[in-house]
Amino acid sequence: MEHYDVVIVGSGHGGAQAAIALRQAGHEDSILMVSRDRNPPYERPPLSKEYLAGDKPFEKILIRPEAFWAERNVALRLGANVNEVDWMKHVLALSDDTSVSYRKLIWAGGGDARRLGCPGAELAGIHTIRNRRDTDALKSELEAGAKRAVVVGAGYIGLEAAAVLRKLGCEVTVVEMQDRVLARVAGPEISEFFAKEHREQGVDLRLETGVERIEGDGEKVTGVTLSTGETIACEIVIVGIGIVPSVGPLIAAGAAGSNGVDVDTFGRTSLDDIYAIGDCAAHANPYAGNAVVRLESVQNANDMASVAAKAIMGDKQDYDAVPWFWSNQYDLRLQTVGLSLGYDQTVLRGDPETRKFSLIYLREGEVIALDCVNNTRDYAQGRKLVMNRAEIDPELLADTEVPLKEMG
């Protein structure tokens, strides 16, 4: 049986950063990265944006050049899943019928795209956007002439995909169960702005609408029947309705967790010598009032990876990173800093008609988050207000003549 000092499960942003951070911290022993993906570590956000649009080739979204990993003596076991974790023996059983032992394990498994559960959900032509293979399959259908798409879900992934498809000349219908777009991540003012933008760009946006079933010819999608009874003809369906954390083997081994796997402030699970980071790691976040949350972002994956790597190297530092997110749609860049969970007041800073403005979220008078549209200055300067839980007069926050950096 092969043995590695540290085994990292997952090759996304978290897994890649964990390996990088270990080497940067002076770790000289063996590292293995196990991934079901068959490609070396690459960025995920471009999959629904530049890579889908054809603006960036795959080589441009690699996290590091392929040779980097060999040069840093990081072994890659690609195309292999972890079937079982024996935490007492410190052994992983892999899908390629091999086993590896470890001293420390970092689980950066991410999540699987949530699938539709309605009739017809098994038909060809239904796509998710979670890895390169997903996006390549979608691109091949577009290149073959598909021109009509139904997007299920109006979160980041769904709206980003809709924007790219419109750019490529497709007819696009977006179906969302909630009464507004971006309902899970942004306030009503931001939702209204982006809904208006998509409609002006030609997207047929159906809110408070569900999917009854997927129609097909026996093999391939031909349409989507909505909860209203209407059927929308299409050649492709894109499903963007969240993820299911990929933590099955950890939970089966006895790790604590109900929505993902629970970790402490150093990224440690309830199982000895096993850490978890990124999308699948549920943690008490200081920017969410210490509520236990999972954050699906590059920032969270990278920062949790660094915390776990330092802990393994004996430098224990609590996870205390300011959350941030971004989304590109058409010529709009939405940048978010902080978490707006539980906000009780919003302040609009700027005029949405100018396509450059910010929405500031307050809770009990404290600044807890900002959504900034085409407004990188507010995004950068607002970070300090979030970190300091600054209490600023709402009228002052709304005054665009006063830079945020002068407020706290």
Side-chain angles (χ1 to χ4, degrees):
M1 184 189 305
E2 292 181 76
H3 175 79
Y4 292 86
D5 189 65
V6 178
V7 173
I8 301 167
V9 177
S11 62
H13 291 273
Q17 180 59 31
I20 293 169
L22 283 168
R23 290 298 187 230
Q24 288 176 337
H27 185 277
E28 296 180 352
D29 213 329
S30 57
I31 298 174
L32 171 67
M33 190 183 302
V34 178
S35 176
R36 56 187 167 178
D37 204 297
R38 297 186 179 277
N39 300 279
Y42 59 92
E43 300 173 17
R44 294 325 198 254
L47 294 176
S48 58
K49 303 190 254 309
E50 301 96 329
Y51 184 66
L52 175 58
D55 296 334
K56 275 189 177 180
F58 181 72
E59 292 70 26
K60 293 293 186 181
I61 67 171
L62 289 172
I63 291 175
R64 292 289 190 277
E66 189 168 357
F68 173 92
W69 307 105
E71 292 168 357
R72 300 311 190 276
N73 195 27
V74 175
L76 300 181
R77 186 77 59 83
L78 302 176
N81 235 339
V82 174
N83 288 343
E84 186 179 355
V85 176
D86 186 332
W87 66 274
M88 288 187 286
K89 293 182 179 179
H90 286 48
V91 171
L92 304 178
L94 306 184
S95 60
D96 60 5
D97 295 325
T98 65
S99 295
V100 296
S101 61
Y102 61 87
R103 181 179 70 89
K104 301 288 185 180
L105 174 65
I106 300 177
W107 192 277
D112 296 306
R114 194 178 296 278
R115 307 281 175 167
L116 292 174
C118 62
E122 75 289 345
L123 290 167
I126 301 177
H127 301 271
T128 56
I129 302 178
R130 191 68 188 164
N131 54 46
R132 181 191 184 184
R133 184 175 60 184
D134 292 340
T135 304
D136 283 350
L138 176 56
K139 288 172 71 173
S140 68
E141 290 210 45
L142 293 170
E143 290 164 0
K147 284 295 182 183
R148 296 176 297 177
V150 172
V151 178
V152 183
Y156 287 142
I157 293 293
L159 294 186
E160 288 167 0
V164 171
L165 292 175
R166 287 299 297 139
K167 176 182 175 181
L168 298 176
C170 294
E171 296 178 21
V172 180
T173 300
V174 174
V175 180
E176 170 58 53
M177 287 282 291
Q178 301 288 334
D179 61 357
R180 59 189 180 92
V181 306
L182 300 174
R184 289 177 56 241
V185 296
E189 297 92 335
I190 295 292
S191 297
E192 181 180 348
F193 176 81
F194 277 91
K196 181 173 180 287
E197 177 67 22
H198 278 276
R199 286 181 169 127
E200 290 178 351
Q201 294 285 349
V203 173
D204 184 1
L205 187 57
R206 308 293 186 94
L207 301 176
E208 296 182 274
T209 303
V211 174
E212 190 71 21
R213 63 181 178 274
I214 307 297
E215 308 293 348
D217 59 8
E219 294 183 0
K220 184 79 168 57
V221 166
T222 60
V224 175
T225 296
L226 307 179
S227 56
T228 60
E230 181 183 0
T231 298
I232 307 295
C234 63
E235 294 90 30
I236 54 177
V237 175
I238 298 175
V239 181
I241 55 175
I243 69 167
V244 178
S246 297
V247 293
L250 285 185
I251 301 301
S258 56
N259 177 22
V261 61
D262 295 341
V263 300
D264 66 11
T265 57
F266 308 125
R268 297 179 302 191
T269 71
S270 61
L271 303 179
D272 290 345
D273 297 322
I274 299 180
Y275 296 73
I277 60 176
D279 293 4
C280 66
H283 62 283
N285 193 288
Y287 294 93
N290 285 321
V292 175
V293 297
R294 284 189 308 102
L295 297 182
E296 299 167 19
S297 73
V298 172
Q299 167 274 317
N300 180 62
N302 285 344
D303 287 332
M304 290 192 87
S306 295
V307 166
K310 288 176 181 176
I312 287 173
M313 295 299 292
D315 179 16
K316 292 183 178 179
Q317 298 183 18
D318 291 333
Y319 180 69
D320 188 25
V322 181
W324 53 261
F325 314 83
W326 82 95
S327 177
N328 295 337
Q329 300 169 40
Y330 308 111
D331 62 340
L332 301 172
R333 183 168 178 82
L334 171 62
Q335 294 172 288
T336 298
V337 60
L339 297 173
S340 60
L341 299 173
Y343 72 90
D344 52 34
Q345 184 180 2
T346 60
V347 175
L348 183 62
R349 178 176 167 85
D351 182 1
E353 292 298 320
T354 67
R355 303 172 69 78
K356 179 182 178 181
F357 69 99
S358 301
L359 187 66
I360 303 175
Y361 300 84
L362 307 177
R363 184 173 60 232
E364 297 180 355
E366 297 180 351
V367 176
I368 59 170
L370 293 89
D371 281 330
C372 306
V373 177
N374 289 343
N375 198 342
T376 300
R377 186 176 72 168
D378 274 7
Y379 167 74
Q381 295 181 6
R383 177 188 178 91
K384 184 179 178 183
L385 301 184
V386 173
M387 290 179 65
N388 294 339
R389 278 79 164 176
E391 295 188 40
I392 312 293
D393 185 285
E395 289 189 11
L396 181 59
L397 286 172
D399 188 351
T400 58
E401 296 299 315
V402 183
L404 292 178
K405 66 181 179 181
E406 297 180 7
M407 296 186 190

